[in-house]
Amino acid sequence: MDYQDYIKLEEEFGAHNYKPLDVVLSRGKGVWVWDVAGNKYLDCLAAYSAVNQGHCHPEITRTMIKQAGKLTLTSRAFRNDQLGLLYKEICELTNSHKVLPMNSGAEAVESVIKAVRKWGYTVKGVPKDQAEIIVCEDNFHGRTITIVGFSTDESSRAGFGPFTPGFKIIPYGRIEALEAAITPNTVAFMVEPIQGEAGVIIPHAGYLREAKSVCEKNNVVLILDEIQTGLGRTGKLLAEEHDGIEADLTLIGKALSGGFYPISAVLSNKEVMDVLRPGEHGSTFGGNPLACAVARTAIKVLIEEHMIENAATMGKYFLSGLSAIKSDYIKEVRGKGLMLAVELIPEAGGARKFSEKLMTRGMLCKDTHDNTIRIAPPLVITKEEIDWALERLESVLSPH
């Protein structure tokens, strides 16, 4: 089959819910991927931060093959020899008390919504069916009906109503808005430490610490969605560490398996998770032994191979290099760790065309919110590879 045959198959037989760049990938290693024609690309999306450990990390590969030959799925009707070990290792690493394993990030979000609502009714004393959860404008927490119902992105919402009630939307990064939105029926505030899909929007330093204080004062559960920002992406294990706090509930996913297998988790530092009783929530695949074994190794290599420290060091270097690019197209450069963005002025004609130009030069990035190029390579990237990327970015962004 030639290149266009693969694209035609997708277009003819697949639902058109994505508009990918026309690159057909067939192999990956570290920060690099290759297409079906043998062309090599630097991956600067890392599957939306799911491949923090790099493509096809050899140790995670070995674990997956070994576990797949032993036991893959038991359901939670029975116990398995990997789940408890994963619980213990995650709790010790993140200072959590309890773990609820699921599969996708959206499932983790749905799980936490159920948990905090029940906590509100059984512990806080909120009247039946009156629980409120506060979220932020320009949030991205997933694609289920409940989640898109509290999105402010019309392309996510339009045509999918009616939506689940019980959510209040406030401006991101404004503590006074959070304080004003809280009522006696407020059970939780759910927020991303950095808004990734919105274009790597970073709140002022101390925002999470202030939010934690407001939530504690009002007996409101602070939920941090770290599905993209967690597991090293920002140069810390969890982004909350930049503000020196621990959330009541933390959501992780994506890089929890290094890109090998879907697994997510709700981490609890409060009694919230204790309100869930047998039969009230679950998933056939949640906590399966294959996912747990893979996650254990994915976490292990992240720590032992110092990928988090590398993200901090290389992130600063990459941000400095981006800031040095002289281009009339660039409105702003921002980032923390290896979660970076180049926002273009509207007159530049949109970020999509620049992502397409970068693809022809061997670099894969993702446009978001029309005018922003998002850059998030695997955490194993080197200085030399960043220099290589900066050359291509400069050539594409410098008007000729």
Side-chain angles (χ1 to χ4, degrees):
M1 290 175 61
D2 67 22
Y3 218 89
Q4 289 303 315
D5 289 333
Y6 289 101
I7 295 172
K8 287 176 183 176
L9 283 174
E10 285 193 25
E11 291 301 307
E12 183 177 354
F13 297 107
H16 296 161
N17 58 320
Y18 277 92
K19 188 184 177 183
L21 293 178
D22 284 335
V23 57
V24 183
L25 303 176
S26 62
R27 185 166 65 91
K29 183 178 181 182
V31 299
W32 300 97
V33 288
W34 288 260
D35 67 14
V36 291
N39 300 307
K40 183 179 178 182
Y41 304 85
L42 180 65
D43 179 3
C44 281
L45 184 63
Y48 299 101
S49 296
V51 193
N52 284 1
Q53 296 88 337
H55 289 276
C56 299
H57 189 287
E59 194 168 342
I60 308 176
T61 301
R62 286 191 292 271
T63 294
M64 187 164 189
I65 293 169
K66 182 180 177 182
Q67 186 64 39
K70 292 172 59 180
L71 185 67
T72 59
L73 182 63
T74 60
S75 84
R76 293 297 303 281
F78 313 112
R79 301 183 189 274
N80 70 72
D81 64 353
Q82 294 297 313
L83 181 58
L85 294 170
L86 177 64
Y87 284 166
K88 181 176 183 290
E89 289 163 13
I90 288 181
C91 284
E92 288 177 348
L93 183 64
T94 63
N95 199 35
S96 302
H97 300 160
K98 297 283 186 181
V99 180
L100 172 63
M102 297 300 287
N103 306 293
S104 66
E107 283 179 283
V109 174
E110 289 278 356
S111 300
V112 84
I113 289 170
K114 288 176 69 175
V116 295
R117 281 181 169 180
K118 187 169 186 198
W119 172 85
Y121 301 133
T122 60
V123 178
K124 188 173 181 178
V126 174
K128 182 182 177 182
D129 296 338
Q130 298 301 307
E132 299 171 346
I133 297 173
I134 299 171
V135 295
C136 289
E137 292 174 352
D138 298 319
N139 70 76
F140 183 85
H141 296 288
R143 298 286 191 187
T144 65
I145 285 291
T146 291
I147 294 171
V148 300
F150 57 78
S151 171
T152 56
D153 179 5
E154 273 308 301
S155 67
S156 295
R157 290 172 51 90
F160 298 122
F163 298 118
T164 308
F167 298 92
K168 281 186 175 180
I169 303 171
I170 64 171
Y172 183 65
R174 287 175 51 187
I175 287 299
E176 66 276 12
L178 173 61
E179 291 175 314
I182 292 173
T183 73
N185 292 341
T186 303
V187 296
F189 173 44
M190 180 163 60
V191 62
E192 300 157 88
I194 296 172
Q195 291 188 324
E197 292 294 321
V200 189
I201 306 302
I202 304 170
H204 64 266
Y207 172 62
L208 298 182
R209 188 167 60 252
E210 293 165 5
K212 172 75 170 173
S213 177
V214 170
C215 288
E216 285 181 342
K217 186 168 61 177
N218 291 278
N219 195 23
V220 169
V221 175
L222 175 61
I223 306 166
L224 291 188
D225 181 343
E226 296 240 28
I227 292 165
Q228 283 198 41
T229 58
L231 302 174
R233 174 53 56 186
T234 68
K236 298 283 188 182
L237 176 68
L238 297 173
E240 66 179 22
E241 295 175 34
H242 292 288
D243 273 9
I245 67 158
E246 290 181 356
D248 299 314
L249 294 169
T250 302
L251 310 180
I252 58 173
K254 294 192 183 292
L256 186 53
S257 76
F260 280 75
Y261 196 91
I263 181 170
S264 62
V266 182
L267 312 182
S268 178
N269 289 315
K270 204 170 181 178
E271 74 275 16
V272 177
M273 208 77 77
D274 293 335
V275 303
L276 295 177
R277 309 314 306 163
E280 293 180 347
H281 190 61
S283 163
T284 299
F285 278 81
N288 72 77
L290 181 56
C292 292
V294 167
R296 291 178 63 210
T297 300
I299 293 169
K300 176 175 174 283
V301 301
L302 190 75
I303 302 301
E304 291 184 353
E305 297 180 19
H306 306 290
M307 295 180 193
I308 301 169
E309 294 86 346
N310 193 63
T313 303
M314 292 299 103
K316 289 177 183 176
Y317 183 77
F318 211 150
L319 184 62
S320 175
L322 289 172
S323 301
I325 294 175
K326 300 286 188 286
S327 171
D328 293 337
Y329 291 148
I330 297 177
K331 177 182 178 182
E332 185 180 35
V333 171
R334 51 185 176 264
K336 185 165 284 191
L338 284 169
M339 193 172 190
L340 305 156
V342 178
E343 185 176 350
L344 308 176
I345 59 173
E347 293 78 9
R352 171 82 182 196
K353 73 175 186 180
F354 290 93
S355 296
E356 290 171 342
K357 287 179 181 179
L358 286 166
M359 182 184 73
T360 66
R361 289 163 170 79
M363 184 174 170
L364 299 179
C365 295
K366 178 69 174 71
D367 57 288
T368 187
H369 277 238
D370 296 329
N371 297 314
T372 300
I373 303 170
R374 186 166 43 169
I375 302 168
L379 308 188
V380 295
I381 197 167
T382 64
K383 181 175 179 289
E384 291 72 25
E385 289 161 342
I386 290 172
D387 287 339
W388 186 93
L390 288 169
E391 288 178 11
R392 278 139 189 84
L393 283 159
E394 186 166 24
S395 70
V396 164
L397 291 169
S398 298
H400 298 294

